[in-house]
């Protein structure tokens, strides 16, 4: 283990899970547990539970769970050692680290330092005569020097190894530059700068670290935009360009756009709440990140087919979430030839001005209105046949809305569009809603009628081969965590007795904790289990288990596990034990008839 167990015990003792989670999630007490909206997926009804007694969290919606270290790993997007350091800093503890872990931490910090120094170098070049071409490009784009400074913009020169030579002179190795994605291997043993003759846009996360770079070419060559590839310190799914600045905005919402330069222009025009995804569609990780800073989102993607598709995908992802979502559709612009062409936020601000954008922002339609308009645009509503088809599709869309009042209001608007009576459209929506509810009920019933499916881990790689044994193995773990005094001095089972490798490993880990004189606890396994494994084990521990007849329950569980282990090994089961198990199974079958 990377850190001494005594240190981890003290760290978790000083990092009460209710306090730590409560700094990210608004929690309300319900019985012995605390509940709130899950920070890991979008929801309107809180299914996220925190147990102060067990010092664990679990979401009944997305099935994620673990201890306080797991929470920080997930919420802050940190590996285990960095999550420990994060909590230690919060608790005022000094971290005792082994050399290997200190080295891993140093490597990560070296990449962040390298990115920072590269950003400073690009920035300095922009101020010097060598960066004149980039400055002239900024002038053409009407980006003021104060704005460029605010975003830390820089210039990469039209040369092969300027950054490479500068950073190696500072002591960084070529391996570090490769790992950061700042240079490229030419496959013949040589290296050259990845970014050349470009406007450089450092990507800064919400903690203030430079994690990557975006760039824009100065002429018409391709690729027009080039971003950093994934690195040990950068995942494009988890970062939003400009959020480091937008999180300080006094505006009540955050505007989501497509391009980095759209963000720059919007901030310059006074819309300092704008952010952009890094060359990806909106992701669940970015939504979780946004939920820490706002509850209202405005989607402002380009008004072309790709932009509309991106908007629809984002709305589907945000459907049923805690966010209030609006869509700002930028009008098309008429050229001198009379042709209507798409325009992005940057174009609109330059052509129409900030006041016009403010009016659009104030009048932006909500997500339902946008989706309804998209459906209506697919049909010729002067045709009776097309009006019927429209009514069928729009009723399916409206049936997905969670509230009856919402469904009724928008059904009335859809009726106007289809030129039918509100009662007729309302009836269509009700039928669609009933069909949807029936489908969901049938799916849920199929799951409930298949206990084997219900008992299986969500992660396919963790699926049980022997459900009967695994359910008993789960019971043993729950009893061990609830009251380890129920167990004898020596382990009643060996890891090999377990049909599930995961459950057997967890039992062995918890038993070692017990032998060391500490109470077995799930949070202590954060360093030993993957996120998927911890999610499943936490789900197992959330299920009810009584210690009132704990000794008898433990004996029953052990008997089942040993009987199934004997079958797997091809050994003979004690005849009396087999008869007892058979009799027990028959009684269970009769009860279930």
């Amino acid at each position: 283990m990377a850190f001494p167990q005594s240190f981890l015990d003290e760290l978790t003792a000083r990092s009460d899970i209710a306090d730590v989670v409560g700094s990210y999630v608004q929690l309300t007490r319900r019985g012995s547990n605390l509940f709130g909206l899950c920070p890991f997926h979008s929801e309107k009804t809180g299914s996220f539970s925190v147990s102060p007694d067990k010092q664990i969290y679990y979401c009944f919606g997305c099935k994620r769970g673990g201890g306080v270290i797991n929470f920080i790993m997930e919420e802050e997007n940190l590996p285990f050692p960095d999550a420990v350091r994060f909590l230690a800093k919060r608790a005022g503890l000094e971290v005792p680290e082994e050399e290997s872990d200190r080295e891993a931490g140093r490597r990560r910090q070296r990449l962040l330092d390298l990115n920072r120094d590269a950003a400073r170098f690009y920035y300095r070049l922009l101020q010097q005569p060598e960066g004149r071409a980039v400055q002239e490009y900024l002038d053409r784009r009407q980006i003021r020097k104060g704005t460029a400074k605010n975003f830390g913009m820089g210039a990469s020169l039209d040369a092969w190894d300027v950054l490479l030579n500068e950073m190696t002179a500072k002591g960084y190795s070529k391996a570090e530059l490769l790992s950061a994605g700042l240079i490229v291997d030419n496959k013949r043993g040589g290296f050259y700068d990845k970014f050349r003759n470009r406007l450089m846009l450092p990507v800064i996360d919400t903690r203030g670290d430079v994690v990557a770079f975006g760039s824009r070419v100065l002429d018409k060559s391709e690729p027009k935009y080039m971003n950093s590839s994934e690195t040990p310190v950068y995942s494009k799914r988890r970062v939003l360009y400009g959020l480091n600045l937008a999180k300080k905005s006094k505006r009540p919402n955050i505007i989501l756009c497509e391009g980095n330069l759209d963000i720059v222009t919007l901030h310059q025009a006074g819309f300092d709440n704008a952010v952009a995804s890094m060359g990806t569609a909106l992701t669940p990780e970015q939504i979780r990140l946004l939920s820490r800073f706002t509850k209202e989102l405005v989607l402002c993607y380009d008004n072309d087919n790709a932009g509309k598709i991106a908007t629809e995908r984002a709305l589907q992802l945000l459907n049923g979430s805690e966010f209030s979502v609006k869509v700002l559709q930028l009008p098309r612009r008429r050229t001198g030839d009379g042709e209507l062409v798409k325009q992005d936020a940057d174009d609109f601000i330059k052509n129409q001005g900030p006041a016009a954008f403010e009016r659009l922002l104030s009048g932006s339609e909500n997500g339902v209105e946008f989706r309804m308009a998209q459906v209506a645009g697919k049909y010729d509503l002067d045709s009776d046949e097309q009006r019927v088809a429209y009514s069928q599709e729009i009723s399916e869309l409206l049936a997905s809305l969670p509230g009856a009042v919402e469904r009724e209001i928008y059904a009335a608007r859809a009726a106007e569009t289809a030129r039918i009576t509100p009662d007729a459209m309302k009836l269509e929506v009700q039928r669609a809603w009933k069909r949807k509810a029936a489908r969901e009920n049938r799916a849920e019933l199929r799951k409930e009628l298949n206990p084997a499916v219900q008992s299986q881990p969500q992660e396919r790689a963790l699926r049980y081969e022997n459900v009967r044994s695994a359910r008993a193995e789960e019971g043993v773990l729950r009893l061990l965590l609830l009251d380890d005094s129920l167990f004898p001095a020596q382990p009643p089972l060996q890891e090999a007795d377990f049909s599930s490798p995961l459950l057997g490993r967890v039992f062995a880990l918890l038993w070692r904790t017990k032998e060391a004189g500490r109470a077995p606890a799930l949070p202590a396994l954060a360093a030993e289990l993957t996120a998927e494994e911890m999610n499943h084990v936490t789900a197992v521990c959330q299920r009810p288990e009584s210690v009132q007849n704990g000794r008898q329950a433990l004996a029953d569980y052990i008997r089942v596990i040993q009987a199934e282990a004997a079958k797997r090994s091809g050994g003979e089961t004690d005849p009396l034990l087999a008869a007892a198990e058979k009799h027990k199974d028959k009684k269970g079958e009769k009860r279930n008839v």
Side-chain angles (χ1 to χ4, degrees):
M1 186 175 290
F3 301 100
Q5 187 58 51
S6 57
F7 167 75
L8 292 176
D9 290 343
E10 184 179 1
L11 178 66
T12 53
R14 288 205 198 182
S15 305
D16 181 77
I17 196 163
D19 291 339
V20 174
V21 174
S23 66
Y24 295 87
V25 181
Q26 187 173 345
L27 298 170
T28 304
R29 183 166 290 279
R30 200 186 307 162
S32 61
N33 285 357
L34 303 167
F35 283 83
L37 294 173
C38 180
F40 307 134
H41 81 288
S42 300
E43 62 176 5
K44 284 188 175 178
T45 304
S47 59
F48 181 82
S49 167
V50 174
S51 170
D53 294 340
K54 299 176 183 177
Q55 285 293 297
I56 60 174
Y57 69 90
Y58 185 71
C59 176
F60 293 92
C62 66
K63 315 299 183 190
R64 299 186 189 187
V68 67
I69 298 175
N70 297 100
F71 180 83
I72 291 300
M73 289 169 66
E74 191 75 39
E75 180 65 18
E76 294 288 345
N77 184 30
L78 295 172
F80 176 79
D82 289 342
V84 168
R85 296 182 189 102
F86 182 99
L87 283 171
K89 185 177 180 180
R90 183 182 184 277
L93 288 173
E94 185 176 343
V95 182
E97 298 189 83
E98 294 179 0
E99 184 56 38
S100 60
D101 292 295
R102 276 196 292 270
E103 182 57 33
R106 278 197 293 265
R107 284 197 298 269
R108 179 181 173 84
Q109 190 58 51
R110 283 282 290 179
L111 290 185
L112 293 174
D113 292 344
L114 171 56
N115 282 340
R116 181 201 59 211
D117 286 341
R120 287 174 174 170
F121 176 65
Y122 289 137
Y123 177 80
R124 286 199 305 273
L125 286 177
L126 180 58
Q127 319 307 314
Q128 295 170 2
E130 300 97 306
R132 183 179 302 279
V134 176
Q135 184 57 59
E136 288 174 351
Y137 175 78
L138 289 175
D139 293 340
R140 291 195 300 274
R141 295 289 301 244
Q142 301 173 34
I143 295 173
R144 297 191 292 268
K145 289 187 177 180
T147 303
K149 181 179 179 181
N150 196 34
F151 280 88
M153 293 184 186
S156 61
L157 303 186
D158 189 10
W160 289 100
D161 54 7
V162 175
L163 180 75
L164 171 62
N165 292 335
E166 180 72 16
M167 292 300 107
T168 52
K170 276 184 166 291
Y172 295 105
S173 68
K174 291 175 181 175
E176 287 173 328
L177 283 156
L178 273 173
S179 183
L182 290 169
I183 63 172
V184 178
D185 181 353
N186 68 6
K187 308 304 180 187
R188 295 190 300 274
F191 301 92
Y192 59 90
D193 292 352
K194 176 175 181 174
F195 301 103
R196 303 182 309 281
N197 197 31
R198 288 176 172 270
L199 166 65
M200 299 300 298
L201 303 158
V203 179
I204 302 171
D205 68 12
T206 54
R207 291 191 291 271
D209 290 322
V210 179
V211 294
F213 292 89
S215 71
R216 209 284 188 190
V217 75
L218 304 182
D219 51 29
K220 296 188 180 297
S221 60
E222 295 292 337
K224 182 189 293 186
Y225 296 100
M226 182 187 290
N227 298 327
S228 292
S229 53
E230 302 261 318
T231 73
V233 297
Y234 171 61
S235 168
K236 64 184 178 182
R237 294 179 58 84
R238 298 174 182 269
V239 177
L240 288 157
Y241 181 73
L243 186 57
N244 61 307
L245 300 174
K247 70 176 186 176
K248 305 170 189 173
S249 174
K250 297 294 189 289
R251 287 179 174 266
N253 49 32
I254 285 181
I255 305 170
L256 277 166
C257 299
E258 290 187 48
N260 293 5
L261 289 177
D262 290 336
I263 303 310
V264 173
T265 299
L266 284 169
H267 277 247
Q268 182 172 273
F271 303 96
D272 61 351
N273 55 334
V275 301
S277 53
M278 297 299 302
T280 67
L282 186 65
T283 67
E285 293 87 348
Q286 290 165 346
I287 291 174
R288 280 167 36 206
L289 183 60
L290 286 165
S291 70
R292 291 164 53 185
F293 304 106
T294 187
K295 298 304 175 192
E296 182 180 329
L297 297 177
V298 179
L299 306 180
C300 181
Y301 295 139
D302 293 353
N303 192 11
D304 55 9
N305 193 49
K308 288 175 181 176
I309 291 172
T311 301
E312 177 63 28
R313 285 178 179 167
L315 288 172
Q316 289 176 3
L317 202 58
L318 292 161
N319 188 36
S321 73
E322 62 189 297
F323 288 99
S324 168
V325 185
K326 292 186 176 182
V327 178
L328 191 160
Q329 290 195 80
L330 295 166
R332 288 181 174 268
R333 177 172 58 87
R334 193 173 295 278
T335 66
D337 300 331
E339 181 186 1
L340 285 173
V341 296
K342 69 125 180 172
Q343 58 182 335
D344 53 26
D346 179 66
D347 295 327
F348 186 88
I349 292 286
K350 290 189 172 96
N351 293 320
Q352 306 294 325
F357 188 86
E358 188 74 70
R359 287 193 295 272
L360 278 182
L361 183 60
S362 300
S364 54
E365 54 192 1
N366 64 41
V368 180
E369 291 167 337
F370 171 83
R371 297 178 76 183
M372 288 176 68
Q374 296 301 109
V375 173
K378 293 160 61 176
Y379 296 95
D380 175 7
L381 296 175
D382 290 327
S383 160
D384 290 345
E385 185 178 317
Q386 293 273 290
R387 284 161 59 206
V388 170
Y390 163 78
S391 299
Q392 290 171 342
E393 182 171 350
I394 202 70
S395 64
E396 294 290 340
L397 169 62
L398 299 181
S400 68
L401 300 179
V405 173
E406 279 183 289
R407 292 195 294 271
E408 183 164 346
I409 289 172
Y410 291 113
R413 293 191 190 177
E416 290 179 18
T417 302
R419 300 200 298 278
I420 62 175
T421 66
D423 287 342
M425 180 59 75
K426 183 179 177 182
L427 185 60
E428 280 297 309
V429 173
Q430 286 174 344
R431 286 173 177 164
W433 186 84
K434 287 177 181 177
R435 288 195 299 270
K436 175 176 172 290
R439 286 194 301 270
E440 291 173 352
N441 288 338
R442 284 196 298 271
E444 190 64 29
L445 185 60
R446 280 196 297 271
K447 283 179 65 178
E448 290 175 359
L449 291 176
N450 190 342
V453 172
Q454 284 288 82
S455 303
Q456 287 288 10
Q458 193 173 25
E459 189 71 20
R460 185 172 293 277
L462 305 179
R463 295 286 168 89
Y464 298 148
E465 291 185 5
N466 185 327
V467 173
R468 184 167 184 267
S469 181
R471 294 183 76 172
E473 294 159 20
E474 291 179 352
V476 169
L477 293 185
R478 284 192 292 269
L479 289 173
L480 181 56
L481 288 165
L482 284 169
D483 186 357
D484 64 340
S485 69
L486 295 171
F487 289 73
Q490 296 301 315
L493 294 163
Q494 299 302 314
E495 185 174 345
D497 294 330
F498 285 69
S499 65
S500 163
L502 170 61
L503 300 182
R505 183 155 54 92
V506 170
F507 176 80
L509 290 168
L510 292 174
W511 195 268
R512 284 205 291 271
T513 303
K514 174 178 166 61
E515 287 182 323
R518 303 191 309 274
L522 197 55
L525 304 183
E528 308 290 345
L529 303 181
T530 66
E532 292 76 20
E533 290 171 340
M534 182 61 89
N535 290 340
H536 177 59
V537 176
T538 307
V540 166
C541 295
Q542 285 292 118
R543 293 173 194 145
E545 186 75 48
S546 173
V547 294
Q548 190 172 2
N549 297 308
R551 293 193 187 281
Q552 182 59 52
L554 178 61
D556 291 342
Y557 288 144
I558 291 173
R559 186 166 56 249
V560 170
I561 293 168
Q562 289 175 335
E564 295 300 317
K567 290 179 187 176
R568 289 196 308 277
S569 64
E572 294 186 6
T573 306
D574 183 279
L576 291 176
L577 180 61
E581 288 297 325
K582 188 174 181 182
H583 176 67
K584 209 169 174 187
D585 287 346
K586 283 184 176 178
K587 284 175 68 179
E589 287 173 12
K590 287 176 183 177
R591 282 196 299 270
N592 292 328
V593 171

